[in-house]
């Protein structure tokens, strides 16, 4: 189901992010960079961090389904394929020249969450970087991965 696929995608990312981002930020796995989940129906496109702080790295994760198809012709137990992308937007404070380097390190953590990975119901493919650069007080680097999950009806 859609709920199950969303939960698995978020769990796959969060577990990797929590373990990998904390050491880069001088914290422990209990204090990773903030994560914000975005529902595209309320998307504003503005890079505002949780609590409007601009002194700590943070990321935003968004899941977007882009296509679907029926894969079987049976009348019972039809198989439907669902395709989409998950995007992790990483923001680091651009107050000094270390912002791009920190963003690259955090993006590597984010990409590892999807490289060659699958959950019980979701398969990830083609993870990639997209440099955005400085925007206001932030330096932004995105990681995007395609995903697929199937459902039976």
């Amino acid at each position: 189901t859609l709920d199950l696929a969303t939960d698995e995608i978020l769990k796959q990312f969060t577990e990797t992010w929590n373990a990998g981002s904390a050491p880069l930020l001088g914290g422990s796995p209990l204090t990773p960079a903030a994560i914000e989940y975005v529902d595209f129906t309320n998307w504003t496109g503005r890079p505002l961090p949780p609590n409007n702080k601009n002194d700590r790295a943070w990321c935003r994760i968004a899941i977007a389904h882009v296509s679907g198809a029926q894969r079987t012709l049976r009348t019972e137990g039809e198989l439907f394929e669902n395709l989409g992308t998950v995007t992790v937007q990483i923001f680091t404070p651009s107050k000094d020249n270390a912002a791009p380097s920190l963003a690259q390190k955090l993006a590597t953590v984010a990409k590892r969450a999807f490289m060659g990975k699958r959950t019980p119901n979701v398969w990830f493919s083609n993870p990639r970087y997209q440099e955005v650069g400085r925007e206001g007080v932030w330096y932004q680097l995105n990681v995007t991965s395609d995903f697929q999950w199937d459902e039976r009806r």
Side-chain angles (χ1 to χ4, degrees):
T1 65
L2 179 59
D3 287 344
L4 180 62
T6 299
D7 288 347
E8 288 185 14
I9 292 167
L10 293 174
K11 181 179 179 190
Q12 177 65 31
F13 172 72
T14 302
E15 288 178 354
T16 303
W17 180 258
N18 286 350
S21 68
L24 296 172
L25 301 170
S28 71
L30 300 177
T31 59
I35 300 172
E36 177 182 301
Y37 173 69
V38 173
D39 176 353
F40 270 119
T41 60
N42 297 317
W43 175 247
T44 63
R46 296 179 179 208
L48 296 174
N51 303 324
N52 292 328
K53 294 180 182 176
N54 61 4
D55 61 346
R56 187 167 185 234
W58 63 285
C59 74
R60 176 186 290 142
I61 182 169
I63 298 168
H65 284 81
V66 296
S67 181
Q70 185 172 346
R71 291 292 174 212
T72 58
L73 298 175
R74 299 185 301 187
T75 57
E76 290 184 29
E78 297 109 332
L79 182 64
F80 294 86
E81 177 184 74
N82 298 279
L83 304 171
T85 59
V86 56
T87 301
V88 179
Q89 297 174 291
I90 297 166
F91 298 92
T92 56
S94 64
K95 58 188 170 194
D96 58 36
N97 291 332
S101 177
L102 178 58
Q104 289 170 357
K105 291 173 184 167
L106 292 170
T108 300
V109 172
K111 188 177 178 187
R112 285 185 186 144
F114 307 115
M115 287 176 60
K117 302 293 174 117
R118 70 176 297 139
T119 68
N121 297 292
V122 181
W123 174 61
F124 299 97
S125 61
N126 306 318
R128 56 211 175 266
Y129 301 113
Q130 179 188 19
E131 293 84 357
V132 178
R134 293 187 194 276
E135 183 175 331
V137 299
W138 300 107
Y139 180 86
Q140 181 181 349
L141 199 156
N142 297 343
V143 173
T144 301
S145 179
D146 301 324
F147 66 82
Q148 172 186 334
W149 59 277
D150 298 327
E151 70 182 310
R152 290 202 181 273
R153 184 179 70 136

